[in-house]
Structures are given as C-alpha cells and as structure tokens.
Amino acid sequence: MLGSLRDLAPIIVVILFFQFAVLQQPLPQLLDLVLGLVFVVLGLTFFIFGLEMGLFPIGETLAHAFALKGSVFWLLLFAFALGFGTTIAEPALIAVAGEAATIAAEAGVIATTREATEGYANGLRLTVAFSVGLAIVIGVLRILMGWPIHWLIIGGYVMVVIMTLFAPPEIIGIAYDSGGVTTSTITVPLVTALGVGLASSIKGRNPMIDGFGLIAFASLTPMIFVMGYGMVIG
C-alpha cells in the first residue's frame, strides 16, 4: 500500500499544484475526492498483488507447459485465444468502443437506434480482439523462429501509414486509440508472462531479447484492422 501511495504521489502533487497555485480554487467535494483516492490506492495495491500472485505465474506456467508439449498448433491456438480473450474483456476497450458508437450515431455515421450502436461497438471490440489474437500468434512465431522484431514492426507501421491515406477520416482516430487501449490491465500481464515463459523454455532464446515485444504487436495490429473495419462499414 505504501508503494501504491508512492506511485500515486506525483499525480496528487500535480493536481494540487494546478488546483491551488494556478486555478487558485478549493478542491470541490473534498470528502468524495479523499474517499475516491483511498479506493484507488486499495485497488492498485490489490491489483499489483494479484498480478504477482496469479496472472504472471499462470502465464509463465502455461508457456512452459506448451513448450514441453512440443505442439506448435496448440501453442499458436492458445496464443490466439489468450490474445482474443484478454482483449475482449479489457475495460478500456469496452469504454472506447461504447463512446465511439455513441459519437458515430450522433454524427449520422450509423443509425441512432440502440441496436445500431451496440452492433457498432461489438463489431469494433471483436475486430480489435481478433487483431490482438493474430498479433500474439505472430509474436509467438517470432520467438519460435527467431525473427528480428524491428523488421516486423517497421513493416507494420508502414502498412498503418498507407492505410491511413485511404481509411475514412472518422475511423482513423478510433483506430489509433484502439492500439493503446488493448495494452491495458488484463492483456499486458498475461501476454508478457507468455512471451518471457516461452523464451525461457526454448533453447537458444534469451528472455530479455526474445521474451519481450509481444505487446508491441498487440498495439500495432488493432490500428490496421480497425481502419480496415472502417473501410468495410463505410
């Protein structure tokens, strides 16, 4: 808990400085703010404790088990399912997809009915989740084959730039944000543990060099797929 307070201290200092020194106004609803801060500290404390106790170990254990099993098919299927399942459950993605659907309805891009907005949001979530699942598969193949990560990343971003020229303007910002919200509280711990555990289990692979980088793919592919999704529905 003290560690969580230390991590939050810079944010608290920034807010207090601008509130009192720049805006020169008292804090509104002080009791609610203090109570909310307590909840944030508790939530962050239990979240980090849960990661260290559960998610990281299970990710590494599964990676070791699949490496020992020696079946590339099941490993890649697990990688896709892990990327898809963790992303579809990301709270940040749910929030962004819902907001994007609301704005699209207000702008007349889609119908203003509940069915249309829910369909748009769900389609966006499924598209992003599928893209992350594919990204984790590519990342696992990179670890298995020893491919250099920089060429894959460079090629991916070249594709992002090219698609930006042709995608509908309304979807470009959402696509770029989708690349960020996928790498959040649920996806990052499990995917990172998978990469490190897999690299540790394969002879000739360095966990520091080969174990990391899966998150980069998970941030890249949603931009490509969401812009493609915008072209299709547009």
Side-chain angles (χ1 to χ4, degrees):
M1 193 174 296
L2 290 175
S4 298
L5 280 171
R6 184 182 64 247
D7 294 337
L8 290 171
I11 303 173
I12 297 172
V13 170
V14 168
I15 292 173
L16 293 177
F17 172 78
F18 280 93
Q19 185 71 31
F20 293 116
V22 180
L23 298 177
Q24 297 181 350
Q25 296 178 0
L27 286 170
Q29 301 175 326
L30 180 60
L31 183 60
D32 289 343
L33 290 176
V34 173
L35 185 61
L37 180 61
V38 171
F39 287 154
V40 169
V41 171
L42 291 174
L44 185 60
T45 300
F46 286 118
F47 174 69
I48 294 174
F49 187 71
L51 289 182
E52 295 173 351
M53 187 176 183
L55 290 186
F56 276 122
I58 195 173
E60 292 188 8
T61 300
L62 285 170
H64 283 295
F66 276 108
L68 291 174
K69 187 177 180 63
S71 173
V72 175
F73 170 78
W74 286 112
L75 176 61
L76 295 181
L77 183 61
F78 169 71
F80 178 83
L82 181 69
F84 184 93
T86 54
T87 304
I88 205 73
E90 278 292 354
L93 176 60
I94 294 172
V96 168
E99 188 67 20
T102 302
I103 298 301
E106 293 175 354
V109 177
I110 60 175
T112 56
T113 62
R114 180 179 177 181
E115 291 77 11
T117 54
E118 287 183 353
Y120 184 92
N122 290 334
L124 186 61
R125 287 177 61 196
L126 290 171
T127 301
V128 173
F130 181 85
S131 69
V132 174
L134 183 61
I136 305 306
V137 169
I138 295 173
V140 168
L141 280 174
R142 181 191 73 83
I143 296 174
L144 295 176
M145 306 300 293
W147 295 335
I149 188 173
H150 54 282
W151 291 117
L152 295 173
I153 297 297
I154 290 172
Y157 276 104
V158 167
M159 188 178 298
V160 168
V161 172
I162 293 173
M163 292 189 70
T164 302
L165 300 175
F166 300 98
E170 297 85 1
I171 203 69
I172 293 174
I174 298 172
Y176 281 24
D177 284 346
S178 297
V181 298
T182 55
T183 52
S184 190
T185 53
I186 299 176
T187 307
V188 171
L190 282 169
V191 170
T192 302
L194 171 66
V196 172
L198 186 61
S200 302
S201 305
I202 299 176
K203 187 177 180 180
R205 296 289 178 265
N206 187 329
M208 281 298 298
I209 298 175
D210 302 304
F212 294 91
L214 291 180
I215 303 302
F217 293 111
S219 299
L220 173 61
T221 54
M223 292 187 279
I224 297 173
F225 276 72
V226 172
M227 281 192 281
Y229 175 72
M231 292 178 185
V232 171
I233 67 170

